[in-house]
Amino acid sequence: MKRRADAKKGKPKKKKAFGGRRAKFCKFCVEKSLMIDYKDVKTLQAFTPERGKVLPRRTSGVCAIHQRELVEAIKRARNIALLPFATD
């Protein structure tokens, strides 16, 4: 085990563990009846914070397939003015 040069008093630095995280699951895979639609503004707003950016997969917990569909639906909703591009 190598010691870091900046370690004081002969003690190596410990890496911080990320304990207590629960596994994220895809909301759309679990509930088969829930569909991604650009007209469903309430569902799309859950994945866009106040600034208007789309939440990444690691934050929202959506699988890759549904993330692509979600981004496409958000873009369509923005183009027909159902969702804002950005807030002031």
Side-chain angles (χ1 to χ4, degrees):
M1 183 169 101
K2 290 185 178 181
R3 292 186 180 198
R4 295 184 182 178
D6 60 343
K8 294 182 181 178
K9 299 180 186 176
K11 294 181 183 178
K13 287 191 175 185
K14 293 182 181 179
K15 290 185 179 180
K16 294 182 181 179
F18 294 105
R21 264 192 201 170
R22 63 186 176 103
K24 292 181 180 157
F25 57 92
C26 181
K27 180 179 176 181
F28 301 104
C29 288
V30 172
E31 299 177 26
K32 300 288 183 185
S33 62
L34 192 61
M35 298 297 292
I36 300 172
D37 189 20
Y38 70 94
K39 294 174 274 186
D40 188 9
V41 178
K42 189 174 180 180
T43 305
L44 298 178
Q45 282 179 338
F47 295 96
T48 55
E50 294 176 1
R51 284 190 75 183
K53 289 186 168 188
V54 181
L55 286 178
R57 281 184 54 210
R58 66 180 178 270
T59 308
S60 63
V62 181
C63 69
I65 296 168
H66 289 115
Q67 178 72 14
R68 282 188 223 109
E69 291 178 13
L70 191 66
V71 169
E72 188 176 335
I74 290 172
K75 287 179 182 179
R76 285 180 180 175
R78 284 176 176 165
N79 280 331
I80 60 171
L82 293 176
L83 285 177
F85 279 97
T87 57
D88 292 335

